[in-house]
Amino acid sequence: MQELWGRKVLKKEIENIEAAEEQSQKLLTMQEVNEKTIQCLRCGQVQSKSIVQLFNGHFFCPECIQLGRVDTSQDFYHLPEPNPVKRIVNFAWKGQLTDGQQAVSNDLVASVKKGESRMIWAVTGAGKTEMLFKTIHHSLESGYRVAIASPRVDVCLELYPRIQAVFPDEPAILLHGKMEERYRYTKLLVCTTHQLLRFFQAFDVLIIDEVDAFPFVDNPLLQYGVNQAIKTNSSLVYLTATPTKELTKKTTQNQLKTSILPARYHRRILPVPKMKWCSRWHEKIKKGNSPKTLVTKIRTLVNKNDVLIFCPSISLMEKLKEAVEKKFPEVPLACVHSQDPERLEKVLKMRNKEYRILMTSTILERGVTFDGVSVIVLGANHDVFATSALVQIAGRVDRRKEFTAGEVWFLHDGCTKAMKEAIKQIKKMNTLGIERGLIDEM
Ligand SMILES: [Zn+2]
């Protein structure tokens, strides 16, 4: 019955139901809050009874229905997570951390030893994953159960093989909405934050990567899931390059310990975005023209590097592509967005230098690395470009060891608070990196 350890699942999710009926604990699926409302105990959301009543008189939860319907006619099956037992775990990582990474790694191990939570604020391209290895190793050897969760499935897919390579003898599992592999008990997991809703007091250490990314950010359902999934005495680790206001506030109020890594592993400063006025960009593109400032900028940048152009909307982007193609008939280019079925192929082609220009929606704002690129944010003053998006976008440039003098440009017709804030944040990190001796003079 190991499959129920630290889990909270419905009958239909269980393979051996006879054994489960006999051995497991039953937990309530929903609980009345008052006469009018009822709370789902998987996702924590409170519903108005009149809206969620079924024909048979029971109530259900519409919020987490994609994980299988929870209703008051059912129970959750659960078994408590066993107590940790110390053991030896093979650790195959032979890499070397930079001084900055090492300091963060030490902080994190110390936090886990004390059972406290910590935020790691590391700039884009800092090499976050490597800083976790020591902590994961220590945790597994302590007999702890460890999960690394991310709101983004592509992050999970990339992370899982890397983790497996570091702990080659450790059984591990990858959990996300589209997986085919059946759930089995492991001490080491990589999963999407949605999958945490199926756990109950399971983890001694829970690491959440990209904690500021959609759909986790501002999502009470997923945050309830996190709180349910961890043990009472446990360490919650937040990883981010662009912390939310809420997390920053907790840090300044000393409610959450924080380690900052202000420099990349290659010891160069983060490229600071430059602003350039681009009047009436929206109108011009709508009419099928490419703004002159943009054309001039592309011309200079494309001499040295490939160019990523971030656009605020898909319809504008498609119009812009045609206009730019006319100006640069010799330059291979494409555009990509979240609904594009060829999204992965196009990203690969850009990586392989088959395109020189790639226009994109905010879909490529994080999680991707290209060699030798410059970035233009067209209409940087548009609402979709929040501070965190702009910092992440700027962070696409100069990630590789080899220096290619990539640049970041915000083209706009009205500077926003988000633009100023993004530049301020990047400069602040650079100053901190220099102060700490983590950046070399160029
Ligand atoms: Zn629910």
Side-chain angles (χ1 to χ4, degrees):
M1 277 285 91
Q2 288 191 359
E3 62 170 291
L4 291 180
W5 287 355
R7 297 262 284 175
K8 194 161 88 169
V9 294
L10 299 167
K11 193 173 187 173
K12 61 179 170 227
E13 298 173 84
I14 299 169
E15 207 165 0
N16 186 349
I17 191 65
E18 287 80 24
E21 290 289 3
E22 222 166 85
Q23 297 164 34
S24 71
Q25 298 175 10
K26 301 259 180 83
L27 303 174
L28 273 183
T29 50
M30 296 181 87
Q31 192 169 32
E32 242 174 55
V33 180
N34 56 37
E35 251 173 55
K36 290 196 173 138
T37 57
I38 188 159
Q39 184 185 30
C40 169
L41 297 177
R42 181 164 67 186
C43 73
Q45 302 314 290
V46 175
Q47 311 293 337
S48 168
K49 279 185 174 175
S50 58
I51 295 173
V52 300
Q53 187 156 31
L54 297 162
F55 287 120
N56 60 11
H58 283 286
F59 301 99
F60 80 104
C61 174
E63 299 274 351
C64 60
I65 203 153
Q66 74 270 32
L67 294 174
R69 191 178 85 183
V70 160
D71 65 53
T72 47
S73 74
Q74 310 176 63
D75 293 307
F76 287 127
Y77 292 72
H78 164 74
L79 279 172
E81 183 70 27
N83 288 329
V85 179
K86 283 202 165 105
R87 62 199 178 104
I88 304 285
V89 174
N90 182 13
F91 184 52
W93 194 62
K94 298 281 179 280
Q96 187 81 39
L97 295 177
T98 64
D99 293 348
Q101 287 174 318
Q102 188 64 56
V104 175
S105 171
N106 295 347
D107 285 352
L108 195 56
V109 172
S111 277
V112 166
K113 283 183 178 165
K114 282 188 241 166
E116 68 183 12
S117 297
R118 181 171 285 274
M119 171 164 83
I120 298 176
W121 180 356
V123 293
T124 51
K128 278 180 301 179
T129 312
E130 295 87 330
M131 294 189 283
L132 303 175
F133 294 158
K134 192 83 215 244
T135 298
I136 298 173
H137 185 227
H138 166 82
S139 305
L140 292 172
E141 289 214 318
S142 306
Y144 293 164
R145 196 169 187 198
V146 184
I148 306 143
S150 168
R152 290 160 53 96
V153 66
D154 43 350
V155 172
C156 296
L157 294 172
E158 200 208 287
L159 210 53
Y160 185 61
R162 291 180 69 187
I163 299 285
Q164 273 187 314
V166 174
F167 303 102
D169 303 332
E170 182 69 16
I173 192 164
L174 172 67
L175 303 176
H176 59 82
K178 292 190 189 98
M179 77 215 164
E180 276 148 28
E181 194 183 349
R182 201 173 165 82
Y183 175 80
R184 64 195 147 77
Y185 181 85
T186 55
K187 288 276 188 192
L188 180 61
L189 297 91
V190 175
C191 65
T192 55
T193 42
H194 270 101
Q195 295 296 320
L196 294 173
L197 293 171
R198 292 202 171 101
F199 289 87
F200 186 57
Q201 298 178 356
F203 302 111
D204 303 275
V205 178
L206 175 55
I207 300 164
I208 305 176
D209 193 9
E210 304 265 10
V211 67
D212 59 298
F214 177 82
F216 188 75
V217 64
D218 302 327
N219 186 329
L221 176 142
L222 295 176
Q223 284 163 21
Y224 179 89
V226 166
N227 292 327
Q228 292 281 301
I230 53 172
K231 287 187 182 170
T232 322
N233 290 317
S234 55
S235 300
L236 194 51
V237 179
Y238 299 104
L239 287 182
T240 178
T242 44
T244 57
K245 279 208 179 94
E246 201 192 334
L247 283 174
T248 321
K249 201 171 145 198
K250 276 191 181 171
T251 303
T252 45
Q253 291 174 346
N254 270 331
Q255 291 170 18
L256 180 64
K257 297 229 163 118
T258 302
S259 301
I260 298 180
L261 179 53
R264 290 174 164 174
Y265 68 96
H266 57 41
R267 302 180 61 88
R268 288 192 293 272
I269 57 162
L270 299 165
V272 178
K274 291 175 219 154
M275 293 201 243
K276 182 108 189 144
W277 188 263
C278 180
S279 71
R280 307 197 329 271
W281 53 269
H282 194 269
E283 264 172 66
K284 286 175 187 161
I285 299 168
K286 245 181 149 176
K287 283 187 193 151
N289 301 320
S290 43
K292 204 169 155 216
T293 321
L294 175 71
V295 175
T296 320
K297 200 38 74 194
I298 295 177
R299 197 152 277 145
T300 9
L301 295 178
V302 90
N303 276 330
K304 281 190 285 187
N305 286 294
D306 296 337
V307 183
L308 280 175
I309 305 175
F310 285 83
C311 300
S313 86
I314 296 172
S315 56
L316 274 185
M317 182 163 74
E318 274 155 3
K319 275 222 147 86
L320 182 67
K321 181 179 172 258
E322 284 172 30
V324 171
E325 255 168 353
K326 277 183 209 149
K327 297 276 180 190
F328 299 91
E330 75 291 359
V331 178
L333 61 89
C335 62
V336 68
H337 52 83
S338 62
Q339 270 98 53
D340 190 339
E342 291 169 48
R343 179 182 144 195
L344 295 176
E345 288 96 311
K346 285 180 178 172
V347 169
L348 203 64
K349 279 188 176 171
M350 181 70 178
R351 231 174 236 158
N352 294 339
K353 308 271 171 196
E354 286 174 56
Y355 300 134
R356 297 287 328 277
I357 300 175
L358 185 61
M359 296 178 188
T360 173
S361 62
T362 51
I363 181 92
L364 296 186
E365 78 173 36
R366 48 174 93 214
V368 281
T369 296
F370 297 104
D371 286 344
V373 283
S374 284
V375 158
I376 297 173
V377 184
L378 178 66
N381 52 316
H382 191 280
D383 286 349
V384 300
F385 298 119
T387 305
S388 60
L390 291 170
V391 172
Q392 290 283 356
I393 287 170
R396 296 310 100 204
V397 176
D398 195 28
R399 296 169 76 90
R400 299 287 197 199
K401 201 157 191 173
E402 195 181 319
F403 182 65
T404 65
E407 297 175 33
V408 185
W409 286 89
F410 291 169
L411 304 194
H412 68 101
D413 56 1
C415 185
T416 60
K417 209 176 149 202
M419 290 163 61
K420 282 188 208 153
E421 193 56 42
I423 293 174
K424 199 174 128 194
Q425 220 181 80
I426 291 167
K427 284 183 173 170
K428 189 181 140 194
M429 284 296 186
N430 283 340
T431 311
L432 203 58
I434 292 165
E435 276 171 18
R436 291 200 194 159
L438 299 172
I439 287 170
D440 297 325
E441 297 282 336
M442 292 272 289

